[in-house]
Amino acid sequence: MRVLLPFCYLTLLFLLFTGIVHAYMPAKPAALKCEHLVNPIGIDASHPRLSWRLADERTGARQTAYQLFLSTDSLDMQKGMVWQSVKINGSASLVTYAGSALQPFTKYYWRVDVWDKDGIKAGSAIASFETGMMDRRNWKGAWISDISEVTVKPAGQFRKVFEAAKKIRSARAYIAVAGLYELYINGQRIGDHRLDPMYTRFDRRTLYVTYDVTAQLQAGKNAIGVLLGNGWYNHQSTAVWYFHKAPWRARPAFCLDLRITYEDGTAETITSGKDWKTALGPVIFNSIYTAEHYDARLEQPGWNTVNFDDSKWKPVTYRAAPSNNIVAQALHPIQAVEEIAAKTVNRISDTVYVFDLGRNIAGVSRLKVSGEAGTTIRLKHAEQVYANGRADQSNIDVHYRPTDDKDPFQTDIFILSGKAEETFMPRFNYKGFQYVEVTSDRPLTLTKESLTGYFMHSNVPPVGNIKSSNTTIDKIWSATNNAYLSNLFGYPTDCPQREKNGWTGDAQIAIETGLYSFDGITVYEKWLADHRDEQQPNGVLPSIIPTGGWGYEWGNGPDWTSTIAIIPWNIYLFYGDKKLLADCYDNIKLYVDHINELYPSGLTTWGLGDWVPVKSKSPVELTSTAYYFADATILAKAAKLLGKEGDHKKYTALAAKIRDAFNAKYLNKQTNVYGSGWQTELSVALYWGLVPAELKSKVAANLAKRVEQDNFHLDVGLLGTKAILNALSENGYADVAYKLAAQETFPSWGWWIVNGATTLYENWDINAGSDLSRNHIMFGEIGGWFYKGIGGIKPDEAAAGFKHVLLEPHFVEGLDHFEAVHEGPYGNIIAAWKKNAGMITYAVTVPANSTATIYLPMARGQQLYENGKLVTGVTGSIRTAGKTAGGKQVYHVQSGTYRFEIR
């Protein structure tokens, strides 16, 4: 009997035999995420976003359809099916769950089937997510604390013993805290997060964190321990921003539910309440702003274990919840990401040692030491040292207003117990530093290995990389990333030492730098919720967010608080996700309307202006009006995306009004110069799109001439820094932009690098009399510009999230090779070029399920080759689309990897 195989199987056998089956294997959905996190637990989203990408390296790879499945059973998804979408034609890979209401405390499993370009179906692996409280009414625990006085210095410790009478299947701990905390079960610290929960406007939104604690519980008796820190909730240090007068300030408190599911299917919840006990512990002082003090003589070993004698401990007290809005903390956590060994130690005396980490970081230091009981050690953290080698804090302590000498700035205090080798590492604080001066009141013997640094920040996954033939450029990029991460602690900050404030202006400058290099959407979604919490009914936002009340009266014009529009718009561009724009739409509208009410002419003088300029200060009205125009433009685009046609027309007209007023006031149409013709004035007008189309080339030429007159050095402040490199490279002067970026003499980024910088500084002049932080992100736009202005990788707002990639490389003079990689929602986008013997090799990778348009700058007489073949019209994998107004040749490509030569 002859068996007839279907044609597809005969084809597959042939391909297997010939060894080329890999080229025809179906696509595979991969990198599944829920709410932009991998297998998260404890989320509150009632309709979570589910996303994936297509793993398919074939040229032209794309998804033609998909189908989603959601179940409560990982082994038999059909048995526990909660939701099954129909097969949906299309290439979408970010989809919002559209089934019936999800239940709290439930683990859901999901997968996706996709159909590739040939109509072949492939299924993903199973991913999961787990819901948390979902509703504050599901909490069972009480809010408890130890005492009511906010001035009490020692941190409170709390404990409870309970018995698990049956075999445990799973257990989750849900903890909401006003302040900071560490959670322990049976003596073991739970999780590796630092500084949880994240800083919010505590009286308007409180975050809780979920832990899987199944492995830490045991049959029979168990002990729970909680250590509370002050954080921003009970700020005891004094500084110019009045943190200590925040309206929510109180002694730290917490609410905890430990939900246990037994093997027999029953559930039990162990809660915080009056049956807990409390005592003060060895953390005798803690301040998120200054430092932590620890007296090891006060330790009570085993305080968080079952058999500890707590007969001398006191009852807890009830407290009101800090807010009525208790929601899940669904973002990448703060962690001690990198351990850094001391590079050198300078023994000044037997009681003074100065350690140098060799680089500037945000985080903490850990000291291992032996000594007599009662020995008091001070660890003073600084970014620089005096000529005599001692730690110098004069550049970072200028805004501290201590009430006494008991809370020294960035100086931990550790009192030894005298019990063998002891280790100290602060729990509820972080600092900005490179040097640690360790002093003691008795002689100590320390070595280079005695002290270790820990680089702490929100642990956002890296998604970008650049490398080039210029080591200074590579070091600037690295320093920019170090500064960015040093200022990411659940919200973007200005500096990790002097302030730790969420300055809005610094964050809007660095948004693209952050998103090109790191997967930061979860942090920004949290921070824009902080914006919504802080916005006044009339639309006004403070200049620092979160805030205890400072910042509504200073520094909060549109040049700073345009974060409410600029950041949601950039999240949309980079992720193709409209949710943040939709969540903030009414807030953007309220803000823009308020400016319109205050400044009906279209020009606004509200703002700080071009902060810390080199020498030329542009008018505040010019820069603030440019940002006002940007806000109105974003609002008009958001209205169109969200189907609000009336608003789209209204705010498009408002943007036109602002542009016309701006040009009427500042544009000289005879000379094609804005204002006095400073770098900031010309670049801001170009970058934000205020220049009439017919004059852009002339204004750009004037900007290039201005830079040349300034000897190819910067003459900008914070706002000009955002604009200048982009304004040049986007308008035909990429070589001039590169000269600025690669400059190594004052003032420039390279000037910092050749003088030893490992992070970005706050002032172009490293010897300036003020504004001298050595770890600031406000001049950090250059990190994003490397991807855009040299690598040429840009999102297309018409197909956001890099669904369609714009590739516009610049083969700048002075650079021999350059490579940029950005991992977008669809996968890696790679753009690399190299010059060799008069020929330019250009290699690109466009990820599956996306497309790209390539804009190549080609000189007269040059020709393009793909894989050695001359490109003419439609050839191989590309299609010629003609030339741009700037003379660049335009090509359209499908997904795939390409290698071109320009000869």
Side-chain angles (χ1 to χ4, degrees):
M1 178 175 163
R2 186 171 61 174
V3 178
L4 296 177
L5 293 174
F7 176 76
C8 62
Y9 287 103
L10 292 172
T11 302
L12 181 59
L13 287 171
F14 170 75
L15 295 174
L16 285 167
F17 179 75
T18 57
I20 57 174
V21 68
H22 67 276
Y24 293 90
M25 288 294 287
K28 188 80 174 175
L32 276 66
K33 293 182 181 179
C34 172
E35 290 293 290
H36 298 284
L37 295 166
V38 176
N39 298 332
I41 67 170
I43 66 167
D44 280 348
S46 58
H47 292 84
R49 292 161 290 176
L50 307 174
S51 60
W52 64 93
R53 68 177 54 153
L54 198 64
D56 190 344
E57 296 181 357
R58 295 174 295 171
T59 299
R62 61 189 178 92
Q63 172 188 296
T64 57
Y66 66 91
Q67 187 174 19
L68 286 162
F69 305 86
L70 189 74
S71 174
T72 55
D73 193 324
S74 64
L75 299 177
D76 186 350
M77 289 195 68
Q78 197 62 43
K79 178 182 177 183
M81 191 66 68
V82 173
W83 177 61
Q84 177 178 328
S85 75
V86 298
K87 178 183 177 182
I88 301 171
N89 293 327
S91 59
S93 57
L94 173 66
V95 177
T96 300
Y97 164 74
S100 57
L102 298 178
Q103 298 301 305
F105 316 121
T106 304
K107 189 164 189 175
Y108 292 95
Y109 301 89
W110 70 282
R111 66 178 181 85
V112 60
D113 288 345
V114 299
W115 284 259
D116 70 5
K117 66 185 180 109
D118 300 319
I120 299 175
K121 183 174 79 169
S124 72
I126 295 174
S128 68
F129 66 87
E130 189 174 302
T131 54
M133 288 287 171
M134 302 290 284
D135 190 313
R136 71 182 299 265
R137 290 173 293 185
N138 289 322
W139 285 92
K140 294 184 177 180
W143 280 87
I144 59 174
S145 187
D146 52 355
I147 48 182
S148 59
E149 292 82 3
V150 296
T151 57
V152 172
K153 299 294 190 289
Q157 297 178 142
F158 302 79
R159 60 177 271 110
K160 173 185 171 65
V161 174
F162 70 94
E163 186 161 0
K166 294 182 283 188
K167 190 173 182 181
I168 296 170
R169 177 192 297 166
S170 65
R172 301 290 185 267
Y174 306 90
I175 182 168
V177 176
L180 300 174
Y181 71 92
E182 285 188 344
L183 172 66
Y184 300 85
I185 293 182
N186 295 324
Q188 181 178 342
R189 187 185 167 215
I190 303 302
D192 60 357
H193 297 190
R194 303 297 301 265
L195 305 180
D196 268 345
M198 306 295 179
Y199 179 23
T200 60
R201 176 65 190 255
F202 295 105
D203 54 353
R204 294 177 183 169
R205 192 165 98 264
T206 307
L207 302 181
Y208 75 88
V209 183
T210 303
Y211 300 96
D212 180 349
V213 295
T214 309
Q216 285 76 32
L217 292 179
Q218 59 194 20
K221 289 187 176 181
N222 292 268
I224 313 173
V226 174
L227 173 65
L228 292 186
N230 290 316
W232 297 99
Y233 183 69
N234 182 30
H235 210 286
Q236 295 178 322
S237 300
T238 52
V240 299
W241 306 279
Y242 306 119
F243 303 129
H244 62 294
K245 293 183 178 180
W248 58 68
R249 186 181 173 191
R251 179 75 174 170
F254 74 97
C255 179
L256 180 140
D257 281 4
L258 174 59
R259 196 170 191 275
I260 303 171
T261 302
Y262 295 107
E263 287 286 0
D264 63 6
T266 60
E268 180 183 11
T269 302
I270 309 301
T271 66
S272 51
K274 289 291 282 185
D275 54 347
W276 285 61
K277 301 188 77 173
T278 185
L280 301 178
V283 178
I284 57 175
F285 175 83
N286 68 98
S287 167
I288 190 72
Y289 182 64
T290 56
E292 187 166 310
H293 307 168
Y294 188 91
D295 189 342
R297 297 171 301 178
L298 302 178
E299 290 177 344
Q300 300 185 56
W303 70 271
N304 46 23
T305 60
V306 169
N307 295 322
F308 177 76
D309 179 6
D310 61 11
S311 58
K312 295 181 180 179
W313 284 38
K314 298 179 180 179
V316 299
T317 61
Y318 281 141
R319 276 271 301 281
S323 79
N324 290 321
N325 188 21
I326 303 172
V327 297
Q329 179 172 293
L331 65 154
H332 290 106
I334 299 167
Q335 292 173 305
V337 177
E338 184 180 355
E339 181 179 299
I340 302 170
K343 189 175 180 180
T344 62
V345 61
N346 179 12
R347 182 184 181 277
I348 293 176
S349 70
D350 60 4
T351 59
V352 181
Y353 297 79
V354 179
F355 294 82
D356 179 4
L357 297 184
R359 55 184 281 205
N360 200 331
I361 66 167
V364 295
S365 59
R366 183 193 67 196
L367 181 69
K368 291 187 176 181
V369 61
S370 298
E372 298 176 25
T375 301
T376 299
I377 300 172
R378 292 179 172 233
L379 295 89
K380 182 178 182 180
H381 297 73
E383 294 188 317
Q384 58 192 29
V385 291
Y386 291 111
N388 64 3
R390 300 290 295 267
D392 175 11
Q393 293 184 339
S394 62
N395 68 315
I396 55 174
D397 63 0
V398 293
H399 294 311
Y400 182 36
R401 303 290 184 268
T403 56
D404 53 40
D405 62 355
K406 295 181 174 59
D407 180 17
F409 187 66
Q410 288 214 150
T411 303
D412 292 323
I413 297 176
F414 180 35
I415 303 173
L416 300 185
S417 67
K419 299 175 183 176
E421 184 179 68
E422 302 178 59
T423 300
F424 170 72
M425 181 173 169
R427 295 164 167 81
F428 302 127
N429 171 265
Y430 75 98
K431 309 163 189 73
F433 66 101
Q434 177 173 334
Y435 301 93
V436 184
E437 178 183 291
V438 179
T439 60
S440 61
D441 60 358
R442 304 175 199 182
L444 290 176
T445 300
L446 301 178
T447 67
K448 187 163 65 74
E449 289 69 36
S450 299
L451 187 131
T452 305
Y454 287 87
F455 189 11
M456 285 168 52
H457 54 79
S458 290
N459 196 7
V460 286
V463 294
N465 188 61
I466 71 120
K467 55 184 177 182
S468 75
S469 57
N470 185 333
T471 55
T472 297
I473 288 293
D474 293 356
K475 287 179 180 179
I476 292 171
W477 179 77
S478 177
T480 303
N481 285 346
N482 285 335
Y484 176 81
L485 292 173
S486 293
N487 285 289
L488 201 67
F489 279 77
Y491 64 108
T493 68
D494 60 329
C495 56
Q497 10 68 8
R498 189 186 69 210
E499 300 191 30
K500 300 181 174 76
N501 279 324
W503 279 99
T504 49
D506 303 55
Q508 64 90 357
I509 294 293
I511 180 62
E512 291 172 276
T513 287
L515 294 181
Y516 270 112
S517 288
F518 301 99
D519 179 14
I521 184 172
T522 60
V523 174
Y524 286 113
E525 287 189 333
K526 177 266 177 191
W527 195 47
L528 267 294
D530 296 332
H531 278 62
R532 299 192 296 273
D533 286 343
E534 297 285 13
Q535 190 173 36
Q536 297 281 9
N538 66 355
V540 171
L541 290 156
S543 52
I544 60 172
I545 297 175
T547 179
W550 190 95
Y552 287 100
E553 302 293 338
W554 191 86
N556 60 332
D559 48 357
W560 255 244
T561 44
S562 285
T563 44
I564 190 64
I566 289 172
I567 288 180
W569 178 248
N570 275 279
I571 291 294
Y572 170 69
L573 290 180
F574 275 77
Y575 289 88
D577 190 336
K578 299 178 186 178
K579 186 179 187 300
L580 190 57
L581 263 179
D583 289 347
C584 294
Y585 181 82
D586 289 340
N587 306 85
I588 303 169
K589 186 176 176 179
L590 193 63
Y591 185 62
V592 169
D593 286 348
H594 182 64
I595 303 174
N596 191 27
E597 290 168 4
L598 293 177
Y599 302 94
S601 70
L603 298 172
T604 175
T605 57
W606 185 19
L608 284 182
D610 202 21
W611 193 250
V612 193
V614 176
K615 59 179 186 292
S616 303
K617 185 66 182 285
S618 301
V620 170
E621 185 180 64
L622 184 147
T623 51
S624 286
T625 299
Y627 275 93
Y628 177 28
F629 172 76
D631 295 339
T633 301
I634 289 169
L635 182 54
K637 291 177 179 179
K640 187 172 184 179
L641 279 169
L642 300 173
K644 302 175 186 293
E645 190 56 37
D647 279 358
H648 171 62
K649 292 178 181 178
K650 175 182 176 181
Y651 293 107
T652 298
L654 176 61
K657 170 187 164 182
I658 298 167
R659 183 181 61 240
D660 291 345
F662 181 90
N663 287 323
K665 174 77 177 279
Y666 289 104
L667 172 61
N668 184 327
K669 292 188 177 180
Q670 280 68 50
T671 61
N672 301 302
V673 166
Y674 280 85
S676 301
W678 304 130
Q679 290 182 19
T680 291
E681 293 169 318
L682 294 166
S683 60
V684 162
L686 283 165
Y687 177 70
W688 291 111
L690 287 148
V691 181
E694 68 275 11
L695 298 180
K696 284 184 72 175
S697 62
K698 295 178 180 179
V699 175
N702 282 328
L703 174 60
K705 289 176 186 175
R706 177 76 256 174
V707 172
E708 184 177 4
Q709 289 170 13
D710 292 325
N711 197 26
F712 298 101
H713 283 76
L714 293 164
D715 183 22
V716 294
L718 182 148
L719 304 180
T721 307
K722 177 68 179 178
I724 190 164
L725 297 178
N726 298 290
L728 288 165
S729 61
E730 291 171 3
N731 291 283
Y733 295 94
D735 287 340
V736 177
Y738 176 71
K739 283 186 179 181
L740 279 176
Q743 187 63 254
E744 294 183 4
T745 54
F746 173 80
S748 65
W749 293 277
W751 172 240
W752 296 336
I753 297 300
V754 298
N755 280 278
T758 57
T759 47
L760 302 188
Y761 290 174
E762 186 188 10
N763 201 311
W764 299 114
D765 183 359
I766 59 178
N767 297 309
S770 63
D771 303 306
L772 280 174
S773 160
R774 293 176 181 264
N775 199 343
H776 250 67
I777 191 56
M778 72 182 199
F779 290 129
E781 163 62 17
I782 190 170
W785 179 80
F786 289 137
Y787 293 91
K788 298 179 286 180
I790 305 179
I793 299 173
K794 299 178 181 179
D796 181 356
E797 67 179 71
F802 296 97
K803 179 65 175 172
H804 183 73
V805 185
L806 303 179
L807 296 169
E808 192 171 357
H810 291 110
F811 313 126
V812 293
E813 183 180 343
L815 204 57
D816 294 329
H817 64 81
F818 186 88
E819 178 179 315
V821 181
H822 173 67
E823 183 185 347
Y826 297 92
N828 276 342
I829 304 160
I830 305 173
W833 56 262
K834 185 176 183 179
K835 299 174 183 176
N836 186 21
M839 180 178 71
I840 297 173
T841 302
Y842 177 55
V844 298
T845 295
V846 180
N849 210 25
S850 57
T851 56
T853 298
I854 303 173
Y855 300 86
L856 288 178
M858 296 174 62
R860 185 183 297 275
Q862 286 184 321
Q863 293 179 309
L864 182 69
Y865 292 79
E866 182 192 5
N867 297 326
K869 294 181 180 180
L870 180 65
V871 174
T872 55
V874 180
T875 179
S877 54
I878 69 174
R879 178 169 59 83
T880 306
K883 292 186 176 181
T884 66
K888 294 184 178 182
Q889 196 71 37
V890 183
Y891 303 96
H892 296 300
V893 299
Q894 307 174 76
S895 61
T897 298
Y898 306 92
R899 180 183 173 87
F900 303 114
E901 293 174 352
I902 300 174
R903 305 177 188 174

